[in-house]
């Protein structure tokens, strides 16, 4: 097998080079790296059905005779490689001094490595599809800065022309191409990243930064665009000193943050999502004076931020919509009837579209009790009190206090029409104290109850070591979530806000073990399985402690942001805050971090609303494009929802519905992996039912079935104790027996043509596919065996796998057919004649098909009760031999 590899954090030049190599060696496997940059990942997802890339988990387990390295000179080790594996290198970077001399190398000085692949494709006249030509063109454009970098050569331009002539779509290239930054812009970008201030206002994350940009001649907006894409805040404010003055570039991705208002306050303008301003000092300023002016403008901007961020919870979020309105001439008894019918305590009184008063239940009840026949205008509290839908809770609270009204009509700021009513009860519910996050002491107690002694002692040891070198370290994600839910797991990784490799080496020096590092990504694996007892001794634990409580290894990961100094370059990795590290997660409940070092041990960090959603039982994505980034999150959302008994919150549910078509762009293998995880869950039937209700099953494949009977079958599987007489394997095709049987119970009743379509879409491995086909066949033939003889039943069943037979046994509700299957497994399958083929040979019968016929006839006679002893078998054997003669 030939395998095509490239570097991690792959850019489009790397992916295009892999495609080029595959076009030249179509029998090779282009193996996707684990980490691909954002535009590359999005491109592969979008055009996965047209491209040949293979995920690591789908790599065939075969000997590797050739490795083809493209756009890199570094090679990972794959299973199947040997000393005889041939290595070919196609690269455009400078040759490494330590490169293995036995490797066959091909270097080019072109700006893009894709250029030499296209040159070979052109020479061999390999046919290209339009999307293949587009992929190659994207690699060329990205790595040459759209042919503007000084490393661009004529070969790059000729390769691009060739791709365009063969159908490359430049609109697609433009859509997926990051705009290149100039050298000045890249330097400014780096300065800005190191000085970002973060502000949390009304649950909005606003990143603000100031810097000296006197040395930048190019426009600043591309730098802002780049930072916004990388950091993904709700709003980004860049304030830089330039030769023209102080320039503001503002970007927003949230309706709550109106950057045009921020720019207007500084003398500029624009749109709500994009705005700018240029502030010129009254006189020419240089040096420290200019920087002081910049600082003053920056501080003024920060001080005004609260004025330009709408409250996360405005009146519109509290009010009841479409309230009943009364006119001043409404009779009091009609008002009483309405109050009794609809239950409201207060009604706006409106005349000619304007609020003129408020009628509440107390006045109505008093008038009725006194027998007064009055109209509303005589009972109401007069006034024109209203509040806008955009008003904050503070404004509402003040208005209620000043007016004394317990119910306030709510108006639209655009039309002035009454669109709702908000009550004092609504306000009190919203302002009621929120649940506080668990104290450090509470979390420490949770850890002590949940984590085995040795593993907990190791956590404390890590905390102490980190504190000595002033490194914040965290356990993150699922471990923290499950700990707070009272269902802790034992697996955790350590995120270091600093240098994880330094910390791992320090731990190895202190406790032993080996450290495997990945310098580029700042990660390390501390392997300790060989020194577990030494660590136990060093931890000085009292009593006997099992070393097996310690993990075999521990992954230490640098909290980081990754960015590209220029298109197609290897990523620049800079340590970042835990907050930005957590922002890459799928759902808010998985963004929680537990700090370990020093006095911070047990402190929960919650930047993205994870605790609130954990308490409310909500599954919520972090941003609107979450499912666009990774459509497998559609299945994951359901898995978490059903596992924890949560609810997918409405906005996320709406995003899921909009994202269903994205499932078509996922590979079958990725979808199958998520379904495998679901079938390993105790609540798998409920998860599949929910997937069906949301239309996800149909979106994956229209023929994927679900109904009440299937749900009951899978639920019954949970309570079924498998009798050892069935002798079922514990695993099949990397699935445990429960997962395999779940597939068979779920899909095994389908016709074979339908099954083949589903298994093709989901890229089922051959073992599972064959089991499903066998189950489907048996479901249809079994009823025909109701009146068959035992021997006929055995002939039909003996080719079927035990797992398929057991699945049909569970599916079938007919007790007679179930007993037939059980008889086959427990009794009939063991029936064999005393006579063997060797006996027939000794009796002078030449080897021929007659052997099988005779032995089968003898077995059938035993099964059907025609013979019951060896003597009877011998007699029958003689009769059969006589017939042959």
């Amino acid at each position: 097998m030939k395998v095509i590899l490239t570097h991690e954090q792959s850019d489009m030049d790397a992916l295009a080079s892999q495609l080029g190599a595959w076009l030249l060696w179509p029998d090779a496997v282009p193996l996707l790296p684990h980490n691909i940059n954002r535009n590359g990942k999005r491109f592969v997802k979008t055009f996965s059905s047209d491209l040949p890339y293979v995920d690591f988990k789908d790599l065939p387990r075969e000997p590797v005779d050739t490795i083809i390295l493209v756009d890199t000179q570094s090679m990972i080790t794959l299973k199947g490689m040997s000393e005889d594996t041939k290595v070919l290198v196609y690269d455009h970077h400078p040759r490494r001094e330590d490169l293995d001399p036995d490797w066959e190398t091909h270097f080019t000085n072109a700006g893009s490595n894709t250029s030499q692949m296209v040159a070979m494709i052109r020479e061999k006249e390999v046919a290209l599809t339009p999307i293949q030509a587009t992929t190659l063109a994207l690699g060329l454009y990205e790595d040459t800065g759209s042919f503007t970098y000084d490393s661009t050569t004529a070969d790059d331009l000729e390769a691009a022309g060739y791709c365009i002539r063969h159908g490359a779509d430049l609109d697609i290239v433009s859509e997926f191409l990051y705009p290149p930054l100039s050298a000045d812009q890249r330097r400014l970008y780096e300065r800005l990243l190191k000085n970002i201030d973060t502000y949390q206002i009304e649950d909005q994350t606003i990143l603000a930064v100031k810097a000296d940009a006197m040395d930048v001649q190019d426009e600043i907006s591309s730098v802002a665009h780049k930072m916004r894409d990388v950091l993904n805040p709700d709003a980004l404010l860049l304030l830089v000193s330039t030769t023209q003055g102080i320039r503001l570039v503002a970007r927003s991705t949230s309706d709550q943050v109106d950057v045009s208002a921020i720019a207007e306050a500084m003398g500029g303008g624009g749109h709500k999502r994009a705005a700018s301003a240029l502030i010129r000092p009254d006189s020419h300023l240089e040096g420290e004076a200019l920087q002081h002016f910049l600082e003053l403008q920056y501080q003024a901007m920060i001080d005004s931020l609260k004025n330009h961020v709408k409250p996360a919870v405005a009146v519109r979020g509290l009010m009841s919509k479409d309230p009943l309105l009364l006119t001043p001439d409404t009779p009091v008894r009609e008002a009483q009837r309405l109050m009794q019918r609809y239950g409201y305590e207060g009604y706006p009184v409106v005349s000619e579209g304007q609020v003129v008063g408020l009628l509440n239940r107390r006045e109505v009840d008093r008038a009725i009790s006194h027998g007064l026949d009055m109209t509303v205008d005589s009972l109401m509290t007069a006034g024109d009190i209203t509040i806008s839908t955009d008003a904050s809770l503070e404004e509402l609270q003040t208005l209620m206090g000043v007016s004394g009204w317990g119910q306030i009509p709510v108006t639209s700021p655009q039309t002035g029409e009454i669109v709702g009513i908000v009550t004092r009860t609504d306000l009190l519910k919203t302002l009621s104290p929120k649940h506080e996050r668990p104290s450090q002491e509470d979390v420490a107690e949770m850890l002590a109850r949940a984590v085995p002694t040795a593993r907990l002692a190791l956590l404390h040891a890590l905390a102490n070591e980190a504190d000595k070198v002033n490194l914040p370290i965290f356990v993150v994600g699922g471990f923290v979530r499950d700990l707070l839910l009272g269902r802790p797991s034992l697996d955790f990784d350590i995120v270091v806000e600093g240098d994880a490799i330094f910390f791992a080496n320090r731990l190895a020096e202190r406790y032993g073990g080996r450290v495997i590092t990945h310098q580029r990504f700042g990660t390390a694996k501390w392997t300790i399985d060989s020194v577990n007892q030494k660590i136990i001794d060093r931890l000085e634990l009292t009593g006997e402690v099992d070393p097996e409580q310690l993990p075999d290894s521990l992954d230490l990961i640098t909290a980081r942001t990754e960015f590209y100094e220029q298109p197609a370059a290897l990523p620049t990795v800079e340590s970042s805050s835990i907050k930005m590290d957590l922002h890459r997660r799928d759902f808010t409940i998985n963004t929680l971090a537990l700090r370990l070092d020093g006095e911070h041990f047990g402190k929960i960090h919650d930047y993205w609303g994870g605790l609130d959603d954990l308490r409310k039982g909500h599954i919520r994505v972090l941003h609107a494009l979450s499912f666009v980034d990774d459509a497998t999150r559609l299945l994951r959302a359901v898995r978490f929802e059903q596992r924890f008994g949560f609810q997918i919150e409405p906005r996320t549910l709406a995003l899921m519905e909009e994202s269903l078509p994205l499932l078509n762009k996922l590979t079958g293998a990725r979808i199958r992996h998520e379904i495998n995880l679901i079938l390993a869950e105790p609540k798998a039937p409920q998860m599949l039912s929910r997937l069906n209700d949301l239309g996800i099953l149909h979106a994956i494949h229209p023929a994927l079935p679900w109904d009440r009977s299937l749900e009951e079958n899978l639920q019954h599987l949970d309570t079924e104790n498998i009798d050892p007489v069935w002798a079922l394997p514990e695993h099949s095709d990397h699935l445990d027996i429960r997962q395999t049987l779940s597939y068979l119970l779920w899909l095994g009743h389908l016709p074979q043509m339908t099954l083949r379509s589903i298994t093709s879409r989901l890229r089922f491995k051959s073992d599972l596919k064959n089991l499903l086909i066998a189950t489907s066949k048996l479901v249809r033939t079994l009823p025909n065996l109701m009146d068959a003889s035992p021997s006929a039943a055995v002939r039909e069943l003996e080719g079927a796998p035990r797992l398929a037979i057991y699945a049909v046994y569970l599916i079938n509700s007919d007790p007679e057919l179930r007993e037939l299957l059980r008889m086959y497994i427990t009794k009939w399958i063991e029936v064999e004649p005393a006579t063997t083929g060797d006996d027939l040979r000794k009796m002078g019968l030449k080897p021929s098909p007659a052997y099988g016929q005779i032995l089968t006839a003898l077995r059938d006679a035993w099964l059907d009760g025609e013979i019951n002893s060896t003597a009877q078998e011998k007699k029958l054997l003689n009769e059969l031999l006589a017939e042959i003669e």
Side-chain angles (χ1 to χ4, degrees):
M1 176 176 62
K2 296 183 180 68
V3 180
I4 305 167
L5 300 176
T6 190
H7 56 81
E8 288 297 322
Q9 293 299 326
S10 298
D11 50 3
M12 281 308 306
D13 189 35
L15 296 173
S17 295
Q18 280 192 298
L19 175 65
W22 178 79
L23 290 166
L24 295 164
W25 291 276
D27 60 336
V29 178
L31 193 60
L32 277 177
H34 290 296
N35 297 292
I36 303 172
N37 71 13
R38 290 173 65 247
N39 63 329
K41 186 181 296 184
R42 188 162 64 95
F43 183 86
V44 171
K45 283 183 181 179
T46 304
F47 300 101
S48 59
S49 60
D50 300 303
L51 298 171
Y53 303 112
V54 174
D55 285 331
F56 263 80
K57 59 181 177 295
D58 297 323
L59 182 67
R61 293 189 172 184
E62 299 174 10
V64 179
D65 57 64
T66 304
I67 294 288
I68 303 169
L69 292 177
V70 294
D71 200 31
T72 185
Q73 298 165 51
S74 299
M75 182 174 62
I76 61 172
T77 302
L78 297 177
K79 290 184 178 179
M81 291 175 57
S82 68
E83 294 180 354
D84 297 326
T85 299
K86 183 179 180 181
V87 179
L88 308 179
V89 178
Y90 291 84
D91 196 17
H92 70 134
H93 299 104
R95 184 187 183 97
R96 284 173 38 181
E97 293 182 359
D98 60 347
L99 200 63
D100 192 322
D102 293 330
W103 291 1
E104 180 181 327
T105 58
H106 303 267
F107 288 96
T108 178
N109 63 353
S112 167
N113 191 64
T114 305
S115 293
Q116 69 170 320
M117 312 312 294
V118 172
M120 296 166 65
I121 289 169
R122 183 177 184 177
E123 181 181 350
K124 296 181 181 295
E125 298 182 351
V126 177
L128 295 178
T129 66
I131 194 59
Q132 289 168 351
T134 302
T135 306
L136 296 169
L138 192 49
L140 293 163
Y141 273 79
E142 186 186 69
D143 225 29
T144 61
S146 298
F147 310 106
T148 62
Y149 292 162
D150 56 11
S151 59
T152 305
T153 67
D155 291 341
D156 298 307
L157 294 168
E158 289 174 5
Y162 184 83
C163 293
I164 293 171
R165 288 195 297 274
H166 284 77
D169 188 334
L170 295 185
D171 286 337
I172 296 177
V173 171
S174 176
E175 179 184 353
F176 287 90
L177 188 66
Y178 283 136
L181 298 181
S182 68
D184 287 347
Q185 287 174 322
R186 292 198 298 273
R187 284 191 291 271
L188 175 61
Y189 176 68
E190 293 163 10
R191 289 200 298 272
L192 292 169
L193 281 179
K194 295 175 181 178
N195 295 285
I196 292 174
D197 295 322
T198 302
Y199 299 92
Q200 289 292 139
I201 303 175
E202 299 291 354
D203 291 333
Q204 298 293 288
T205 300
I206 301 173
L207 302 183
V209 59
K210 61 182 182 299
D212 179 355
M214 299 292 288
D215 58 337
V216 179
Q217 301 301 316
D218 302 311
E219 42 82 26
I220 309 298
S221 58
S222 292
V223 180
H225 180 82
K226 183 79 168 178
M227 292 185 70
R228 184 195 62 187
D229 283 351
V230 171
L231 300 174
N232 195 26
D234 296 304
L236 175 69
L237 307 174
L238 266 61
L239 199 65
V240 296
S241 55
T242 70
T243 54
Q244 294 84 29
I246 305 301
R247 183 170 296 280
L248 168 70
V249 179
R251 298 290 183 265
S252 172
T253 60
S254 169
D255 290 334
Q256 285 182 241
V257 186
D258 181 357
V259 293
S260 66
I262 296 173
E264 286 172 8
M266 303 182 75
H271 304 286
K272 289 184 177 181
R273 297 296 182 95
S276 63
L278 181 62
I279 307 102
R280 299 181 186 274
D282 293 336
S283 59
H284 178 71
L285 298 177
E286 293 181 354
E288 292 184 4
L290 179 59
Q291 294 311 306
H292 179 66
F293 183 69
L294 171 64
E295 180 64 40
L296 291 176
Q297 298 300 318
Y298 183 79
Q299 195 56 52
M301 179 182 71
I302 298 303
D303 291 342
S304 69
L305 280 182
K306 289 185 178 180
N307 301 328
H308 305 299
V309 181
K310 295 179 182 178
V313 180
V315 168
R316 73 165 66 82
L318 280 69
M319 71 181 190
S320 298
K321 295 180 179 179
D322 302 321
L324 291 171
L325 305 178
L326 301 177
T327 59
D329 58 355
T330 302
V332 66
R333 292 197 177 275
E334 174 64 10
Q336 182 194 41
R337 187 187 69 81
L338 292 171
M339 288 181 173
Q340 289 174 340
R341 180 173 182 177
Y342 296 105
Y344 296 124
E345 293 294 323
Y347 286 81
V349 183
V350 177
S351 177
E352 297 180 354
Q354 299 297 314
V355 173
V356 295
L358 181 77
L359 180 70
N360 61 53
R361 182 184 290 271
R362 182 176 59 186
E363 277 73 26
V364 171
D365 289 344
R366 289 173 63 185
I368 296 296
S369 68
H370 290 293
L372 301 176
D373 187 13
M374 306 175 72
T375 56
V376 165
D377 61 344
S378 299
L379 295 173
M380 71 182 187
T381 301
D384 58 355
I385 307 298
T386 63
I387 195 165
S388 168
T389 55
D390 290 338
S392 68
L393 300 191
E394 289 79 10
E395 292 175 273
L396 175 62
Q397 189 173 13
T398 300
L399 184 59
M400 284 185 169
V402 171
S403 68
W405 286 24
Q407 298 85 26
I408 306 288
V410 184
T411 58
S412 165
Q414 287 78 33
T415 65
E417 295 179 357
I418 298 172
V419 294
I421 190 166
V422 61
T423 71
R424 184 177 285 112
T425 301
D426 295 330
L427 179 62
L428 290 174
K429 285 181 179 179
T430 304
L431 294 179
S432 60
K434 302 295 188 295
H435 295 288
E436 294 183 358
R437 64 189 62 190
S439 68
Q440 292 177 232
E441 292 76 13
D442 289 341
V443 174
E445 289 181 9
M446 293 179 197
L447 286 170
R449 290 193 300 268
V451 180
T453 303
R455 197 168 289 220
L456 181 62
L458 180 63
L459 277 180
H460 280 287
L462 294 176
N464 291 334
E465 289 298 318
D467 190 44
K468 290 176 183 177
V469 291
N470 197 28
L471 276 180
I473 65 171
F474 304 81
V475 181
V476 300
F479 177 89
V480 185
R481 175 201 67 211
D482 292 345
L483 180 72
L484 296 177
L485 288 174
R487 47 197 300 168
S489 60
L490 295 180
D491 294 329
F492 53 80
D493 298 333
I494 301 295
V495 175
V496 180
E497 209 170 41
D499 190 340
I501 294 176
F502 160 78
F503 187 51
N505 287 325
R506 182 180 175 89
L507 292 172
E509 291 174 7
R510 176 89 168 87
Y511 295 103
R514 295 183 301 110
V515 175
I516 302 171
T517 65
H518 297 279
Q519 293 285 345
R520 192 189 312 163
F521 310 117
T523 62
K525 181 184 286 293
W526 181 33
T527 303
I528 57 175
D529 54 341
S530 61
V531 293
N532 275 354
Q533 186 58 59
K534 177 182 176 182
I535 292 176
I536 293 290
D537 296 339
R538 185 65 63 88
L539 294 175
E540 299 179 353
L541 299 172
T542 58
E544 292 189 8
V545 178
D546 185 1
E548 294 297 320
Q549 290 182 357
L550 293 177
D552 291 338
S553 63
L554 199 61
D555 288 324
L556 296 106
I557 304 156
T558 299
R560 64 188 189 271
T561 49
E562 297 172 351
F563 62 95
Y564 293 80
E565 295 182 348
Q566 60 186 50
L570 296 177
T572 299
V573 177
E574 287 193 355
S575 59
S576 178
S577 66
I578 185 67
K579 178 180 179 180
M580 298 309 297
D581 188 89
L582 292 170
H583 190 252
R584 300 177 291 137
R585 313 283 164 161
D586 47 8
F587 305 107
T588 57
I589 61 171
N590 295 329
T591 63
L592 300 170
L594 191 166
R595 190 164 175 179
L596 298 176
D597 53 294
E599 63 182 15
H600 305 287
F601 188 90
K603 182 178 180 181
I604 296 294
H605 286 242
D606 175 24
Y607 300 104
W608 309 108
L611 275 175
D612 195 42
D613 283 334
L614 207 59
R615 293 188 181 106
K616 291 178 180 177
H618 285 173
I619 303 297
R620 185 192 310 273
V621 291
L622 274 74
H623 55 85
L625 296 180
S626 182
F627 297 114
V628 176
D629 291 342
D630 184 358
T632 62
R633 290 174 178 172
L634 292 165
L635 289 87
R636 233 175 295 154
V638 169
R639 178 155 57 91
F640 287 134
E641 177 195 51
Q642 297 301 310
R643 179 200 289 177
F644 300 128
F646 285 8
Q647 285 290 320
I648 300 170
E649 59 89 28
R651 175 58 174 154
T652 299
L653 207 57
L655 291 172
M656 291 175 69
E657 183 178 357
E658 295 171 4
S659 303
L660 289 178
L662 298 174
L663 288 167
N664 292 325
K665 298 178 181 179
L666 286 178
T667 64
R670 291 192 66 198
I671 297 176
R672 186 187 72 244
H673 174 70
E674 292 297 328
I675 295 176
N676 289 347
L677 294 176
I678 286 173
L679 296 182
E681 296 268 354
K683 292 185 178 180
Q686 294 92 321
M687 294 175 185
L688 290 172
S689 183
R690 181 72 160 145
L691 290 174
N692 182 67
D693 293 343
L694 295 177
I696 295 174
L697 290 184
H698 185 271
I700 293 171
H701 193 291
L704 278 175
W706 195 253
D707 55 32
R708 182 59 188 166
S709 64
L710 289 173
E711 186 173 359
E712 290 175 353
N713 282 342
L714 265 70
Q715 287 174 340
H716 181 62
L717 182 60
D718 275 337
T719 60
E720 182 77 15
N721 292 321
I722 302 174
D723 193 323
V725 299
W726 289 89
L728 300 180
E730 292 185 2
H731 295 86
S732 174
D733 194 19
H734 304 293
L735 301 175
D736 65 31
I737 189 171
R738 187 183 181 284
Q739 290 170 300
T740 303
L741 287 171
S742 294
Y743 271 120
L744 300 184
L745 296 183
W746 176 24
L747 305 175
H749 68 285
L750 296 174
Q752 291 188 33
M753 287 297 293
T754 303
L755 268 181
R756 293 185 190 280
S757 177
I758 292 174
T759 57
S760 174
R761 169 67 182 103
L762 296 180
R763 295 292 189 268
F764 280 8
K765 301 294 180 64
S766 58
D767 288 352
L768 181 57
K769 178 180 177 180
N770 293 336
L771 277 173
L772 284 165
I773 298 298
T775 304
S776 173
K777 178 181 178 183
L778 190 53
V779 164
R780 284 155 179 75
T781 59
L782 186 61
N784 301 329
L785 302 180
M786 180 73 80
D787 300 320
S789 64
S791 61
V794 169
R795 281 195 295 274
E796 187 64 39
L797 294 171
E798 61 185 346
R802 282 178 178 262
L803 278 169
I805 295 172
Y806 184 67
V808 175
Y809 174 82
L810 294 178
I811 292 171
N812 211 294
S813 59
D814 190 311
E816 293 186 28
L817 290 175
R818 285 169 62 94
E819 181 58 25
L820 183 151
L821 295 174
R822 189 171 183 84
M823 284 293 294
Y824 169 73
I825 288 294
T826 59
K827 183 176 179 181
W828 297 343
I829 199 172
E830 303 295 337
V831 173
E832 294 289 346
T835 306
T836 66
D838 194 46
D839 294 331
L840 295 177
R841 184 180 59 77
K842 291 178 180 178
M843 296 172 69
L845 186 64
K846 294 181 178 180
S848 69
Y851 273 41
Q853 297 166 5
I854 292 172
L855 296 176
T856 299
L858 294 176
R859 184 192 66 175
D860 290 352
W862 278 101
L863 286 168
D864 296 337
E866 296 172 1
I867 59 176
N868 297 294
S869 65
T870 54
Q872 291 175 335
E873 178 183 320
K874 186 174 182 180
K875 178 181 177 183
L876 177 58
L877 174 60
N878 290 330
E879 292 173 0
L880 294 171
L881 290 172
E883 291 177 4
I884 292 175
E885 295 174 356

